[in-house]
Amino acid sequence: MLTEKDNYLMTLRGETPEWIPRLLIPSPGHAPATAWVGPGFLNARKTPMGGFDIWGVEYVATKETGYMSLPKPGRFILDDICHWRDVIKAPDISHIDWETMAKKDLERVDRTQTSVTATIHVGYFQQLMNFMGFTEGLCAMLEEPDEVMALFEYMNQFYLQICSKVRDYYKPDVWAITDDTATATNPFISVEMYREMIKPFHASEAKFAQEAGIPIDMHDCGRCEDFIEDWRDFGVCAWNPAQTMNDLAGIKKKYGNSLVLEGCWDSSGPAGWPDTSEEVVRAEVRKCIDNFAPGGGFVFWASTYGAPDDEAIKAKARWITEEYDSYGRNFYRK
């Protein structure tokens, strides 16, 4: 019998799966199609309520945001990009027992049923914003590009060591590149700035996957479609969360199954409104599937935003799952 893992990997290879995969969130009675796994030491100082990353940035989260964490307001650690060498220090990883850590990190995953997606960090652009805040970070990219590039190169040399260890010890099925470079309306930076200042570092990490024949999944929120051609240059075959402010219909028509759209869920649309009816939520699930599943190249990923113990949020999540199970898992069998 085909597993959730195999069905998902078929989709990433450009094949039409037996059923529509669902990203991360398993349905009752089914294993997750994939699990995001990274070296445990990277998040050793963080909890669901916040904590610190390996660079010393402090994060906070709230129940109302579903425990999504953000840098603590007013606590940015870098106020002048020219002084980054005094502030940003990569941790010593020479003592790490990678084999033992990988075994522990992978304990929660049944690899016969669930694929492993390797995740390492939030991205170069996003980490700079976490260091400085968006105002100072964006000004630094414009006014002191050489210093920003020097910082990215320093971070990159650290992360390349981790990439090598992750490939060898975790043996992932999928490789994630992450960077949130856009707002809901436009990218934060130009395509030219991305190509000059960020793309080389994304590409250097993607090379580990390309050499091993591992499919590459790009995570970038917002209206970031401007960068797709550049992602393709370093082997990206899937994109999440592929949000609806992008021309998803046009992108699907252009790339077909060679760029898998993971998501396509209108989280700010009717299904996300307060007091939305069950009928509307279920209709939105079918609409999403009908628009993007035909011919393959699609992975369902619908989210509800709010406190996890809120009964209205729990009801929406249940309706989404039930409709996906009854409609999405049978879509290709019609």
Side-chain angles (χ1 to χ4, degrees):
M1 180 180 295
L2 194 69
T3 65
E4 299 290 329
K5 169 183 177 177
D6 293 336
N7 189 66
Y8 176 61
L9 294 178
M10 283 176 62
T11 307
L12 297 193
R13 290 194 299 267
E15 304 169 21
T16 301
E18 290 191 12
W19 62 87
I20 297 171
R22 188 176 187 185
L23 195 66
L24 296 177
I25 304 170
S27 297
H30 300 285
T34 194
W36 289 350
V37 180
F41 84 93
L42 292 175
N43 293 303
R45 299 174 64 199
K46 292 184 73 175
T47 72
M49 290 306 297
F52 293 83
D53 67 16
I54 59 169
W55 304 104
V57 177
E58 184 177 4
Y59 296 79
V60 293
T62 64
K63 182 173 68 173
E64 289 72 22
T65 60
Y67 298 108
M68 298 293 180
S69 62
L70 294 171
K72 190 170 185 177
R75 292 287 185 89
F76 297 114
I77 66 174
L78 183 61
D79 57 9
D80 185 340
I81 189 64
C82 295
H83 296 159
W84 72 262
R85 294 169 186 83
D86 301 324
V87 178
I88 308 303
K89 306 292 184 181
D92 178 14
I93 61 174
S94 62
H95 64 286
I96 291 178
D97 181 344
W98 285 90
E99 184 175 2
T100 299
M101 183 170 62
K103 182 178 179 180
K104 181 178 180 180
D105 291 336
L106 292 166
E107 283 178 347
R108 64 183 176 89
V109 184
D110 179 357
R111 300 198 68 169
T112 67
Q113 303 296 315
T114 299
S115 65
V116 167
T117 297
T119 62
I120 296 174
H121 62 108
V122 298
Y124 296 91
F125 175 84
Q126 189 62 58
Q127 189 67 59
L128 178 65
M129 301 306 123
N130 292 351
F131 288 154
M132 304 188 73
F134 278 91
T135 299
E136 295 300 326
L138 289 169
C139 286
M141 294 185 75
L142 181 64
E143 297 172 352
E144 299 286 351
D146 290 343
E147 288 297 321
V148 172
M149 289 287 285
L151 171 58
F152 287 171
E153 177 66 30
Y154 176 77
M155 294 167 57
N156 181 247
Q157 291 305 306
F158 171 72
Y159 284 128
L160 290 182
Q161 297 176 64
I162 298 176
C163 287
S164 176
K165 299 296 186 181
V166 166
R167 183 182 62 180
D168 294 345
Y169 287 96
Y170 290 74
K171 301 187 185 307
D173 304 290
V174 184
W175 193 272
I177 302 291
T178 298
D179 229 340
D180 286 332
T181 59
T183 72
T185 54
N186 278 298
F188 285 108
I189 59 177
S190 68
V191 171
E192 292 73 23
M193 183 174 280
Y194 173 76
R195 288 174 179 167
E196 179 180 352
M197 301 183 71
I198 300 174
K199 180 181 177 180
F201 303 111
H202 286 169
S204 70
E205 294 185 18
K207 187 176 180 181
F208 286 88
Q210 290 176 295
E211 291 174 347
I214 302 170
I216 300 171
D217 189 353
M218 184 75 199
H219 171 86
D220 201 339
C221 294
R223 201 201 68 77
C224 54
E225 62 183 280
D226 305 52
F227 306 125
I228 290 176
E229 283 296 314
D230 291 283
W231 300 342
R232 304 278 288 168
D233 286 345
F234 52 84
V236 169
C237 69
W239 165 36
N240 77 77
Q243 293 175 303
T244 55
M245 61 279 294
N246 297 279
D247 179 16
L248 297 181
I251 292 166
K252 183 175 177 68
K253 181 178 180 180
K254 179 177 181 179
Y255 295 101
N257 288 9
S258 68
L259 180 66
V260 177
L261 303 181
E262 300 174 309
C264 309
W265 176 250
D266 190 1
S267 57
S268 61
W273 298 346
D275 304 319
T276 301
S277 69
E278 177 178 352
E279 181 181 11
V280 168
V281 173
R282 291 181 182 274
E284 285 295 298
V285 173
R286 296 192 297 273
K287 174 183 174 183
C288 179
I289 291 171
D290 286 343
N291 285 344
F292 299 105
F298 171 70
V299 174
F300 183 73
W301 189 19
S303 300
T304 55
Y305 298 101
D309 60 355
D310 184 303
E311 291 302 321
I313 298 298
K314 290 163 67 174
K316 285 184 182 180
R318 185 177 67 254
W319 300 334
I320 289 170
T321 291
E322 290 175 353
E323 201 62 28
Y324 160 76
D325 282 346
S326 63
Y327 191 75
R329 291 186 70 88
N330 295 301
F331 185 83
Y332 295 125
R333 298 169 185 165
K334 297 175 184 178

